[in-house]
Amino acid sequence: MTNHHQSTRGRPRVAFVTCAELPGLDPDDRLALGPLAARGVTAEIAVWDDPSVDWTGYDLVVLRSPWDYALRREEFVAWARTVPALVNPADVVAWNTDKRYLSELAAAGVPTVPTEWVEPGREWTPPAGGEYVLKPAVSAGSQDTGRYDLTDPEHRELAVAHVRRLSGAGRVTMVQPYLDAVDTAGETALLFLAGPGGLAFSHAIRKGPMLSGPDLGEAALYKEERIDARTATAQQRAVAEKVLAAMPGGPDRLLYARVDLIPGPDGAPVLVELELTEPSLFVGYADGAPDRLADAVLTHLARRR
């Protein structure tokens, strides 16, 4: 395999990182491969836990779809710390792969969905009523996530079983009120990509409601989403900028970021998740977005020379 010093004398080599279940990369990410080739960059697809990959042979290693990490987070974070040219950086990966970062952002004044954290081994009593979402603090692709109407006795039993299932696996459970505005307005994801002046807004998409009921423990890499292009409002963009400004180390060292917002009870956007590790970037839903992703890669290559 070509080593790092040889690769920098010719075309830069960049790895797009995926998982063994998606060895050909997510189709959306493949849209950036042509623009990268046109810019003189050799982009290769690599599986994060493939022991035969020499990560030091790449000028840049871009996390894209390593979506199987959730049950192996410690192994994944340890791997990230061994990759010298990783983006987003390993310390960001360690912080962002446990959704307890939401507590830090809330403490910094970011409007977030109210969240109760149920540690493993703790007995959990469901709220008396209302709709709630339960999910693990470490997850990807809406795995192990369910929606419960806690006025329904069967849903209450299933919610308790969900928490016990996660707790028995040593996982922290998040309990959040279901924001019913998602049923009409959907969820807005704002995508940011690196540019010469730092991280910049690129485009936005709408995700339709996904959670129709309880999680019954079926295994899947991710849940299917309904996606449409969307124009972000000034208020949504302002909240997203506030979210990014509050993250440790600031946003300008990132190659990408995705800020997921839902209208709260008063209609103002609140943060659901800040995706900095392996978010779908939905570049196929905005004119020029595959080129902007390729340019973001070039921006980070230039920083390393």
Side-chain angles (χ1 to χ4, degrees), residues 21-302:
E21 291 183 65
L22 284 173
L25 209 61
D26 185 65
D28 188 72
D29 290 320
R30 293 188 65 87
L31 297 175
L33 300 182
L36 282 169
R39 287 158 173 77
V41 175
T42 298
E44 301 174 6
I45 302 167
V47 173
W48 74 269
D49 58 352
D50 180 350
S52 71
V53 177
D54 174 15
W55 300 105
T56 66
Y58 291 103
D59 299 289
L60 199 66
V61 177
V62 183
L63 288 168
R64 290 311 317 123
S65 48
W67 293 335
D68 62 352
Y69 77 84
L71 297 179
R72 304 158 61 193
R73 176 178 174 269
E74 289 187 11
E75 179 186 349
F76 181 67
V77 171
W79 165 81
R81 290 180 173 135
T82 69
V83 181
L86 189 71
V87 284
N88 287 329
D91 66 297
V92 172
V93 171
W95 180 77
N96 187 240
T97 49
D98 187 326
K99 293 181 178 63
R100 283 178 284 189
Y101 69 76
L102 289 169
S103 296
E104 293 181 40
L105 295 177
V110 171
T112 62
V113 180
T115 305
E116 176 187 3
W117 307 91
V118 185
E119 298 288 335
R122 182 189 133 198
E123 281 298 316
W124 176 69
T125 302
E131 285 197 283
Y132 284 81
V133 174
L134 273 61
K135 58 186 174 182
V138 178
S139 68
S142 297
Q143 300 171 60
D144 302 302
T145 300
R147 172 183 172 182
Y148 300 87
D149 178 358
L150 297 181
T151 59
D152 181 327
E154 182 181 359
H155 274 224
R156 291 180 70 82
E157 288 183 16
L158 289 170
V160 170
H162 189 166
V163 173
R164 285 181 178 159
R165 185 167 64 248
L166 293 177
S167 179
R171 305 173 78 186
V172 175
T173 304
M174 304 169 63
V175 182
Q176 298 176 320
Y178 184 79
L179 300 180
D180 56 13
V182 75
D183 293 331
T184 51
E187 183 176 320
T188 301
L190 290 86
L191 288 305
F192 293 78
L193 296 170
L199 204 64
F201 176 71
S202 170
H203 59 285
I205 57 95
R206 175 191 184 272
K207 292 198 281 184
M210 295 172 54
L211 301 178
S212 57
D215 175 71
L216 301 177
E218 299 102 336
L221 189 62
Y222 58 88
K223 291 186 179 178
E224 293 293 336
E225 300 173 321
R226 178 177 173 178
I227 308 298
D228 300 288
R230 166 165 277 179
T231 300
T233 67
Q235 187 181 30
Q236 288 169 335
R237 289 183 60 168
V239 170
E241 296 283 359
K242 185 173 185 177
V243 170
L244 292 168
M247 65 159 288
D252 286 343
R253 61 202 182 109
L254 305 177
L255 191 145
Y256 53 71
R258 197 182 89 199
V259 182
D260 294 344
L261 305 174
I262 291 178
D266 63 355
V270 297
L271 177 68
V272 181
E273 289 187 24
L274 170 60
E275 298 265 14
L276 306 177
T277 303
E278 35 60 42
S280 294
L281 297 175
F282 305 114
V283 294
Y285 292 85
D287 290 342
D291 289 285
R292 289 193 291 277
L293 177 54
D295 287 338
V297 170
L298 259 63
T299 294
H300 275 262
L301 283 169

